[in-house]
Amino acid sequence: MSFSPQQPSPAPSDLSGAGAEDLALYREKFRRRLPQSLEELRGPAQGVVELPLHVAWSGMTSYDLGKPRQRMGLYRAVLHEGLRDDLPRLLNRDLLVQMWPVLRTLVGRTVRSVWEEAFPQLAARSRAAA
């Protein structure tokens, strides 16, 4: 099914059958990767982080946490591509919470909703920052 620029793609609630099942599987992929709590995220808060190739398969592999754009890029890549064991090792709870109001606009809708549903403090932080 193709969509012209004038016709938006269907919203998730408009999906039926296989489309809804695909969305549910996609959400579950991210849900399975979540830590039990944000306290598990004990990754570095400074310095240079080298991402494994399964996370940084399409771009940079080295990120300087002292540079805001690189820090944001690293977190976006890890949230999308990181595996369950990668998240506690590569993400830092304090940095994630601090960056979330902007970071949530850079990640996909599914990643954003899965994280905010699992960790309401992220959604609350976004509302407070607005």
Side-chain angles (χ1 to χ4, degrees):
M1 174 188 314
S2 66
F3 297 95
S4 70
Q6 294 80 21
Q7 294 178 332
S9 59
S13 62
D14 296 339
L15 296 174
S16 61
E21 186 175 320
D22 289 347
L23 181 60
L25 289 172
Y26 189 61
R27 286 179 58 81
E28 186 58 27
K29 173 179 105 169
F30 292 109
R31 241 188 248 116
R32 283 192 309 256
R33 298 176 182 181
L34 291 173
Q36 292 295 316
S37 77
L38 291 180
E39 302 306 318
E40 290 180 31
L41 304 179
R42 295 189 182 126
Q46 58 188 348
V48 175
V49 175
E50 297 288 333
L51 292 181
L53 288 177
H54 69 270
V55 176
W57 55 269
S58 68
M60 289 176 50
T61 58
S62 181
Y63 292 82
D64 183 345
L65 293 175
K67 297 180 178 180
R69 290 181 72 118
Q70 287 190 28
R71 185 172 55 237
M72 204 64 76
L74 173 127
Y75 274 65
R76 183 174 183 264
V78 173
L79 290 173
H80 276 275
E81 304 296 336
L83 303 176
R84 185 173 179 86
D85 291 342
D86 295 322
L87 301 180
R89 188 171 48 82
L90 296 170
L91 300 180
N92 178 281
R93 180 217 173 271
D94 294 337
L95 287 179
L96 178 69
V97 170
Q98 173 192 347
M99 295 185 325
W100 189 257
V102 174
L103 183 60
R104 73 183 303 275
T105 68
L106 302 175
V107 297
R109 182 183 314 170
T110 302
V111 171
R112 178 176 56 243
S113 66
V114 165
W115 277 80
E116 288 184 348
E117 288 167 13
F119 307 110
Q121 62 267 44
L122 293 177
R125 172 94 168 99
S126 297
R127 287 190 299 274

